[in-house]
Amino acid sequence: MKSINDFIESEGSQFPGKTYVEELLKPVFNDQRDYLFDVMFDIHRAHVIMLSEQKIIPITEARKMLAGINKIAKTDYQSLTYQPEYEDLFFMMEAKIGEEIGPELAGKIHIGRSRNDMGVAMYRLVLREHLVTTIENAYRLSEVLLFQADQHLETYMTGYTHTQPAQPTTLGHYLLAIYDVLQRDIKRLESAYQTVNQSPLGAAALTTTGFPISRERTCELLGFDQVIENSYDSIASADYLLETSTALITLMVNTGRWIQDFLQHVTREFGSFLVADPYVQVSSIMPQKRNPVSIEHSRSIASSAYGEALAAINMIHNTPFGDIVDTEDDLQPHLYRAFNNANRVLKLMYAVITTLRVNKDHLKKMTERSCITITELADTLAREYNISFRKSHKIASYLSTQTIQAKKELKDWEIQDINHMINHFVDATLTSKQWKKIISPEYFVRIRNIQGGPNPQEVKRMILQREEQLAHSKWKAQQIKAKLNKNKEHLVTYQL
């Protein structure tokens, strides 16, 4: 162990100390380089254009600034490494621009702004790109869920409550439920996008500036939807991070729940789904196994995305209501990794669901077990014999108990045995035709044609409605992406 004096000597006598450099400045520099490089130059461009248009700087100087900015922006950012003479990437790039156009002119680029409003703007620009990509991948998954739901309108399967066989439904009905949850997840992402896509530029450090800048113009040039009006709010608020994080967390929790279902359905014991060969892995020692690694990884990656987003929330917790740009340097990469992992999950499950094979016969056989149509007995007695539902339910419960004790299925009983058990409670006699309907999964599903039920025609109606809604939602998302791309191109090629 080094002595205290040796340690102090190795750390240096001025800021930044060696440990501070190794454990903070270098990692932060690398994150800034990897995530913020492009948007930093977009902000430089927009600010210079605005300064020129507001006649704060001469147009001749602005042209030189833009030329220098555009040249340095072409730097291979991956080749950049931390250098102790620069505090961070921003100051390094300002120096590089200064080498190109002169330090005096480069220094003027910073008129009327602060690292505070610039930092928040960079974070918002990067987050909106991640949100657009995630929404795009979520809509892609939505399309295949609707497609498969339409293919399986009459693929009968067991629905579960409390992890136990409950009632017959269809795979189409089930997949449509997943689809509907995903649409609400997308709405949360779109709401986060609206919160994120607002401009803090012009707030400067906290209280705006004495220069006659135009906050609206930088907002427009960078493709933000609106200005965050209160300058204190612009640099102090962190709800755009919280809303983004919670939208991601909700998406991954919801997705993880049905992924867990899929893992159950692909087991040999269930045998409901067969994952396509490109997405399974054969065991290194047990050649009979088809390990559903694509689904397994999706489940764990979803948990990782959740954890990274939650880390961002925890880091915001109890931060002061003020400038947290330096803290955000540590915080933001958690969100970027959360987005990356969330998109991996969406893409993997798109591939799995697109190529999924379904064992329809096996699913149908499972609906004929475990007394899962017995609810229809109670309904029939109440509907056709004017017996109270509570008494009808008690009769159905008794009959199911007797079926389990006899180690039978409902279809194994003769009609006279059924009527004998019913007559223990009420004077009512079922016909063979009625009993066949009661034990039929197809009849159970067909008669449940109430809005939102599993009846194939009702599910088809819902699918057609959702296809129309999805087309419109996708169109709006594509318009937003096209607008941002157009803004980016316009900014890079802008001529004063």
Side-chain angles (χ1 to χ4, degrees):
M1 177 179 174
K2 284 185 177 181
S3 69
I4 292 176
N5 288 335
D6 288 342
F7 174 76
I8 292 173
E9 184 177 347
S10 68
E11 286 289 295
S13 59
Q14 294 181 337
F15 181 84
K18 181 182 175 183
T19 298
Y20 192 81
V21 168
E22 293 296 327
E23 304 306 327
L24 194 134
L25 293 181
K26 279 187 179 180
V28 166
F29 178 91
N30 292 338
D31 286 336
Q32 291 174 337
R33 175 197 65 196
D34 294 343
Y35 299 120
L36 304 178
F37 185 86
D38 285 338
V39 294
M40 178 186 295
F41 283 94
D42 285 343
I43 291 171
H44 285 332
R45 293 179 181 108
H47 190 68
V48 167
I49 292 167
M50 180 275 296
L51 290 176
S52 174
E53 292 178 347
Q54 293 296 109
K55 303 189 185 310
I56 297 170
I57 59 174
I59 192 169
T60 53
E61 289 186 350
R63 285 172 179 161
K64 291 179 182 177
M65 290 175 183
L66 284 179
I69 288 167
N70 289 334
K71 184 170 182 180
I72 302 305
K74 295 176 182 177
T75 302
D76 177 12
Y77 69 89
Q78 291 290 352
S79 66
L80 299 174
T81 56
Y82 173 79
Q83 296 177 29
E85 61 264 38
Y86 306 114
E87 181 183 333
D88 61 11
L89 181 69
F90 170 81
F91 287 108
M92 177 187 283
M93 290 302 101
E94 184 177 284
K96 297 292 183 186
I97 294 170
E99 291 172 8
E100 187 65 30
I101 64 174
E104 188 68 23
L105 207 54
K108 284 187 176 182
I109 295 174
H110 209 53
I111 289 173
R113 72 177 183 187
S114 164
R115 287 295 307 284
N116 289 358
D117 61 339
M118 184 181 175
V120 175
M122 288 192 293
Y123 301 141
R124 286 174 177 268
L125 289 173
V126 174
L127 285 179
R128 82 177 181 189
E129 290 177 10
H130 283 295
L131 282 162
V132 166
T133 299
T134 306
I135 290 167
E136 188 175 46
N137 284 321
Y139 276 134
R140 188 165 171 254
L141 179 59
S142 300
E143 283 184 307
V144 75
L145 283 168
L146 274 189
F147 171 79
Q148 290 288 28
D150 194 44
Q151 300 300 302
H152 294 285
L153 295 172
E154 297 188 59
T155 299
Y156 298 93
M157 66 177 288
T158 304
Y160 292 82
T161 63
H162 299 276
T163 73
Q164 300 302 304
Q167 292 182 329
T169 185
T170 68
L171 182 54
H173 190 233
Y174 170 79
L175 292 175
L176 196 58
I178 294 174
Y179 171 88
D180 283 352
V181 173
L182 181 56
Q183 301 323 292
R184 294 194 292 274
D185 288 333
I186 292 172
K187 281 190 171 78
R188 282 180 274 269
L189 292 169
E190 290 173 338
S191 175
Y193 174 88
Q194 291 172 2
T195 302
V196 166
N197 199 36
Q198 300 182 36
S199 176
L201 290 170
L206 178 68
T207 59
T208 73
T209 174
F211 290 94
I213 63 169
S214 170
R215 300 189 68 193
E216 290 80 7
R217 183 57 172 146
T218 49
C219 173
E220 177 189 20
L221 286 166
L222 289 164
F224 287 117
D225 291 331
Q226 65 185 64
V227 171
I228 305 170
E229 187 172 40
N230 185 296
S231 62
Y232 208 129
D233 179 22
S234 295
I235 62 92
S237 59
D239 56 310
Y240 77 99
L241 299 167
L242 295 172
E243 188 172 351
T244 300
S245 299
T246 52
L248 268 178
I249 285 173
T250 307
L251 170 66
M252 287 296 96
V253 170
N254 284 333
T255 303
R257 293 181 68 208
W258 59 260
I259 287 175
Q260 182 63 32
D261 268 12
F262 272 50
L263 277 173
Q264 189 173 42
H265 279 292
V266 299
T267 60
R268 281 294 179 95
E269 289 76 10
F270 264 70
S272 310
F273 300 159
L274 187 69
V275 179
D277 289 345
Y279 311 110
V280 295
Q281 189 176 56
V282 176
S283 167
S284 63
I285 191 172
M286 297 165 283
Q288 85 283 4
K289 291 183 67 191
R290 300 180 80 256
N291 298 328
V293 289
S294 51
I295 306 179
E296 290 176 308
H297 282 295
S298 294
R299 179 178 60 174
S300 62
I301 296 168
S303 297
S304 176
Y306 167 95
E308 294 283 8
L310 186 60
I313 291 176
N314 288 334
M315 292 174 74
I316 296 166
H317 180 57
N318 283 339
T319 58
F321 186 68
D323 160 39
I324 61 166
V325 167
D326 287 340
T327 304
E328 286 196 71
D329 283 336
D330 302 320
L331 180 157
Q332 288 284 333
H334 287 285
L335 270 179
Y336 306 151
R337 289 192 292 269
F339 273 112
N340 181 58
N341 284 335
N343 281 290
R344 291 169 67 195
V345 172
L346 296 174
K347 290 177 181 178
L348 279 167
M349 293 314 299
Y350 172 84
V352 168
I353 294 173
T354 299
T355 57
L356 193 70
R357 283 182 282 170
V358 178
N359 189 340
K360 296 183 180 182
D361 291 339
H362 178 69
L363 279 172
K364 175 67 187 323
K365 287 178 182 176
M366 294 289 285
T367 64
E368 297 170 355
R369 299 172 56 185
S370 307
C371 301
I372 65 171
T373 63
I374 199 68
T375 304
E376 186 52 36
L377 171 62
D379 287 356
T380 299
L381 291 173
R383 186 171 55 240
E384 300 181 23
Y385 292 86
N386 199 30
I387 299 169
S388 75
F389 184 77
R390 282 300 165 209
K391 183 172 285 188
S392 299
H393 181 275
K394 187 175 182 180
I395 295 169
S397 176
Y398 175 76
L399 202 151
S400 62
T401 300
Q402 294 301 307
T403 302
I404 293 167
Q405 289 179 353
K407 297 182 179 180
K408 290 184 175 184
E409 299 297 342
L410 292 178
K411 64 181 180 180
D412 296 331
W413 291 109
E414 298 294 335
I415 187 62
Q416 57 267 28
D417 297 324
I418 295 299
N419 285 323
H420 179 71
M421 285 186 277
I422 291 173
N423 293 154
H424 282 308
F425 300 89
V426 294
D427 184 18
T429 302
L430 297 176
T431 67
S432 295
K433 185 177 180 180
Q434 285 175 311
W435 180 243
K436 284 180 181 179
K437 285 182 177 180
I438 288 167
I439 65 174
S440 166
E442 293 95 333
Y443 179 77
F444 188 99
V445 166
R446 186 170 69 253
I447 200 172
R448 280 156 177 78
N449 57 3
I450 302 302
Q451 181 182 3
N455 173 282
Q457 290 182 341
E458 173 60 13
V459 175
K460 181 66 174 180
R461 180 197 65 77
M462 290 191 283
I463 289 173
L464 290 173
Q465 182 187 64
R466 282 151 179 75
E467 284 175 340
E468 186 176 336
Q469 293 168 343
L470 180 60
H472 180 66
S473 298
K474 279 184 59 187
W475 178 82
K476 287 199 301 184
Q478 288 163 357
Q479 293 297 107
I480 289 172
K481 185 176 181 180
K483 175 180 176 289
L484 294 180
N485 290 338
K486 185 177 180 180
N487 261 96
K488 172 77 173 178
E489 183 181 352
H490 176 69
L491 197 57
V492 172
T493 59
Y494 194 91
Q495 297 292 322
L496 284 170

